[in-house]
Amino acid sequence: MSDLYAGGEPLAEVVRNEFVESRHHGSVVVLGADGEVAAWAGDVLGAVFPRSSSKPLQAVGMLRAGLDVDGPDLALVAASHRGQAVHVTAVQALLDRTGLTVDDLRCPPDFPLSEDARDAVVRAGHGRERVFMNCSGKHAGMLRTARANGWPLETYLDPAHPLQERLTATVAELAGEPIRGTGVDGCGAPVLAFSLRGLAGSFLRLVHAPEGTQERAVADAMRRYPVLVSGDDAGDDDTRLMRAVPGLLLKGGAEGVAAAAVPGVGAVALKIDDGGMRARLPVLASAFARLGVNLPGRVPVLGGGREVGVVRSVW
């Protein structure tokens, strides 16, 4: 298995007034319900950073390490939330119940991803805060897990911390392959490198896990409370698609990554090489079409405020 990601193939193009003005390359893998590769393009065996698409796997690791949350709180721990009031309130409540405050978070201060929420923050005279950062739910979960075990709180993001060692072992197990590199994610937490093949397989394991398992608990929480996984504003994708497709588990990640699975159907993982987020949905829809699933994946191109084209899959 190659250690380095070699890059992908043409996957999508941007069409404006019937003129192709941009193209996106990348890699994508489709697994059938049996976990075998049904289709692929590009390099699906080289190591990539799945970024926030790894959050459901890390959430499983936290449960295994003693995190005692479920339902909405568990969905929040696996989230890239958009900083809306429902998210900020939930993170603060989770910290309060742990005996911690937002000052204990080690994710960087940020504005909400949601434009409406960001505007509201600015109008209220506030600036960037750690609780607004899209990964604050994950960080609150990490702190609660560390506290439950009596582990140091100040260094919970160190890759050598007992918490991160447990999470790394869990991610490797769920991916079915060794971790081939460790970096620092945008939120400051360790980000683990493995293949798209492993990423798709891990999501399939989550949705196929028996009821009562920690893997299934994460998948069910995310699907039952999708608004906590992302948001319900115009910039949301994960919530909208999980509401639209029964059984779908979906988690996007930065730099053009997405992973998804439907029980009894299969799983998909993809990476857009230039990090462009606009190409993910058309490619994801094309991938699921190979599994017989109709996924809403239309991304319009605007000119003067009206639709003049589309981002479309060429795979």
Side-chain angles (χ1 to χ4, degrees):
M1 184 179 292
S2 172
D3 284 335
L4 299 178
Y5 177 63
E9 303 174 7
L11 292 183
E13 59 188 18
V14 182
V15 181
R16 180 182 299 275
N17 298 106
E18 301 182 359
F19 182 86
V20 178
E21 64 175 355
S22 300
R23 293 181 174 88
H24 294 280
H25 290 63
S27 300
V28 54
V29 63
V30 180
L31 306 183
D34 59 359
E36 296 299 318
V37 175
W40 80 95
D43 179 8
V44 301
L45 298 181
V48 302
F49 284 136
R51 303 297 297 270
S52 287
S53 293
S54 295
K55 284 178 178 174
L57 315 183
Q58 293 172 311
V60 173
M62 288 184 234
L63 290 178
R64 291 182 178 182
L67 178 64
D68 57 343
V69 301
D70 56 18
D73 286 333
L74 186 54
L76 189 71
V77 169
S80 295
H81 69 71
R82 298 187 59 78
Q84 297 173 290
V86 64
H87 306 123
V88 175
T89 300
V91 173
Q92 291 174 328
L94 181 57
L95 289 169
D96 289 344
R97 294 198 304 274
T98 313
L100 300 169
T101 71
V102 294
D103 293 331
D104 293 300
L105 296 170
R106 290 293 177 264
C107 54
D110 204 351
F111 284 111
L113 290 178
S114 165
E115 290 187 9
D116 290 342
R118 183 167 62 247
D119 290 348
V121 166
V122 173
R123 283 196 299 268
H126 300 298
R128 300 174 187 269
E129 295 185 21
R130 297 182 192 276
V131 72
F132 297 148
M133 202 270 168
N134 74 92
C135 300
S136 63
K138 177 181 76 173
H139 283 250
M142 288 180 173
L143 282 167
R144 189 176 178 94
T145 307
R147 168 148 287 185
N149 287 277
W151 294 331
L153 301 182
E154 297 78 9
T155 58
Y156 74 92
L157 296 182
D158 188 327
H161 191 282
L163 169 67
Q164 300 302 337
E165 290 180 340
R166 299 284 187 93
L167 300 191
T168 298
T170 297
V171 172
E173 177 190 327
L174 294 174
E177 63 183 64
I179 301 303
R180 286 177 274 163
T182 301
V184 181
D185 213 331
C187 66
V191 58
L192 308 173
F194 54 101
S195 73
L196 292 173
R197 169 68 179 83
L199 181 60
S202 67
F203 271 60
L204 197 60
R205 290 184 179 93
L206 262 59
V207 299
H208 280 173
E211 290 189 17
T213 63
Q214 291 155 331
E215 294 89 340
R216 181 66 174 273
V218 171
D220 286 349
M222 293 175 66
R223 292 179 293 187
R224 185 173 182 182
Y225 304 99
V227 71
L228 292 175
V229 176
S230 181
D232 60 2
D233 65 321
D236 165 71
D237 285 327
D238 291 359
T239 299
R240 176 173 60 87
L241 293 179
M242 282 195 283
R243 284 174 169 171
V245 180
L248 176 69
L249 176 68
L250 170 63
K251 186 70 193 71
E255 296 300 320
V257 177
V262 175
V265 175
V268 173
L270 64 89
K271 160 76 177 170
I272 305 301
D273 288 353
D274 62 10
M277 308 298 270
R278 64 184 177 181
R280 293 185 309 170
L281 286 186
V283 176
L284 192 65
S286 177
F288 269 105
R290 289 162 163 79
L291 296 171
V293 175
N294 182 20
L295 194 74
R298 183 175 177 78
V299 177
V301 172
L302 303 181
R306 63 185 179 87
E307 184 173 331
V308 297
V310 68
V311 184
R312 65 190 182 194
S313 173
V314 297
W315 177 62

